Amino acid sequence: MAKSTAPVLSEKAGVPGAAVYSRVLLVFYDFFILKIMSSIFWRCSTARVTLPFFRSHIRRNHLDIGVGTGWFLQNSHPASDASITLCDLNANCLEKTKERLGRPDLDVLQHDILEPLPESLGTFDSISIMYLLHCLPPPQERKCQVFSMLKHHLKPDGVLFGCTVLGPKSGNQTSWSKWALRRINRKGRMGNLEDTEEMFVEVLNKNYSHVESQVVGSMLVFSARQPIW
């Protein structure tokens, strides 16, 4: 039977970046975020880049943080006996993902990722944070602490991976992407105006021995292995 851990909600739990995803909006999420925004504005194709990336990194004992609608999980076709734990601040996203996957055995944790995860959660072979970091509010230093916190839940031979939209200071932005970034940040739905590739990669390298990263359009795609203690 699936277990559901009581929510841990910080003082920032109500930020629009988390609260915006109502059940109605999630109906349009896949088309608008994963197709229109990713391909046209961020110039990082979901079909050609981020989905193959997800498929190549997910393992049988997986923690998915920032689940969205569960699109990546569903389209990575995990084994029916794979152990999958969902973690998100938004209950609508968790419910949508569980419905989509049709897996009543999924473990679910409603949690603010800017707060430490419960020790009882255990460790995983893979942890994904897809399209998550750019939604977290500044300061950037606190946002980067996610990397050091998550290594406590990664097995020694496990992999942490994800992607995030970089801020307008990134060298690969277009006038359209800069416009979209400023508009979305003004509404509080993103908190990435100061996010840079160098910032994330530097912190990853301080916490993991093997880091791979690539900037595709406006997005940083990364993976990290071998936690440093």
Side-chain angles (χ1 to χ4, degrees), residues 18-219:
V20 67
Y21 294 114
S22 65
R23 292 189 65 86
V24 173
L25 187 59
L26 287 175
V27 173
F28 305 97
Y29 179 95
D30 296 347
F31 177 76
F32 185 70
I33 300 296
L34 300 181
K35 291 187 178 181
I36 300 299
M37 294 301 296
S38 292
S39 296
I40 297 177
F41 286 90
W42 315 139
R43 294 168 297 122
C44 183
S45 169
T46 302
R48 295 192 301 271
V49 180
T50 51
L51 178 57
F53 175 76
F54 190 98
R55 285 174 172 169
S56 67
H57 287 81
I58 186 173
R59 299 181 180 176
R60 296 180 70 88
N61 179 24
H62 180 70
L63 171 61
D64 195 283
I65 303 174
V67 299
T69 63
W71 188 92
F72 281 102
L73 282 171
Q74 182 187 47
N75 286 280
S76 65
H77 308 297
S80 59
D81 61 344
S83 176
I84 297 175
T85 299
L86 309 177
C87 177
D88 203 293
L89 181 57
N90 189 307
N92 294 324
C93 293
L94 292 169
E95 292 174 7
K96 175 72 174 181
T97 298
K98 284 195 69 175
E99 292 171 2
R100 184 169 208 159
L101 296 178
R103 287 275 304 270
D105 61 321
L106 294 182
D107 291 339
V108 175
L109 173 64
Q110 186 181 359
H111 188 89
D112 183 350
I113 197 58
L114 292 176
E115 303 289 346
L117 290 167
E119 292 183 11
S120 60
L121 194 62
T123 57
F124 298 85
D125 296 317
S126 59
I127 301 175
S128 61
I129 46 174
M130 303 288 289
Y131 290 81
L132 172 67
L133 295 173
H134 57 249
C135 293
L136 301 180
Q140 272 58 34
E141 291 78 10
R142 187 184 184 195
K143 181 184 300 194
C144 284
Q145 289 177 2
V146 168
F147 297 132
S148 59
M149 182 265 289
L150 289 179
K151 70 182 182 182
H152 292 277
H153 296 276
L154 191 67
K155 292 187 176 181
D157 59 348
V159 57
L160 166 69
F161 66 95
C163 64
T164 185
V165 180
L166 296 171
K169 294 182 180 180
S170 167
N172 291 323
Q173 301 290 355
T174 65
S175 56
W176 278 106
S177 66
K178 289 180 180 179
W179 173 83
L181 281 169
R182 293 191 178 99
R183 182 176 177 84
I184 297 171
N185 272 267
R186 278 198 300 269
K187 294 185 176 182
R189 295 174 182 174
M190 282 186 177
N192 67 336
L193 288 180
E194 302 299 322
D195 289 5
T196 65
E197 174 192 8
E198 293 78 13
M199 174 188 80
F200 288 129
V201 173
E202 179 182 1
V203 178
L204 282 167
N205 280 318
K206 288 180 179 179
N207 287 279
Y208 301 87
S209 296
H210 184 76
V211 175
E212 296 181 350
S213 65
Q214 179 183 9
V215 175
V216 181
S218 303
M219 296 193 70

